Amino acid sequence: MTLSPLTRDHTHRTSLEVDATLGRPTEYEFLSGALLRYAVANRIAVPRLASVHALLSALLQPARTQL
């Protein structure tokens, strides 16, 4: 069976999804973090990237215990 590149076969998972599920470090900080730091250093507005980066940071941080 040949699948279109746009069809998800429900068994494929992205590396980010697999890493997050298994509690492993993900590549989002390396990829989007580097771009975000470059933009800040060069005073380039990247509001969408900043938003996505902040959301991923919040979603992927380890759960904090409440005092």
Side-chain angles (χ1 to χ4, degrees), residues 7-45:
T7 301
R8 185 170 179 170
D9 66 1
H10 301 289
T11 59
H12 174 76
R13 298 176 79 189
T14 66
S15 62
L16 178 70
E17 184 179 7
V18 171
D19 290 342
T21 301
L22 296 176
R24 298 189 301 215
T26 60
E27 69 274 11
Y28 91 93
E29 175 58 38
F30 175 76
L31 299 171
S32 65
L35 290 171
L36 192 56
R37 287 187 295 278
Y38 178 85
V40 169
N42 290 283
R43 298 178 186 217
I44 300 169

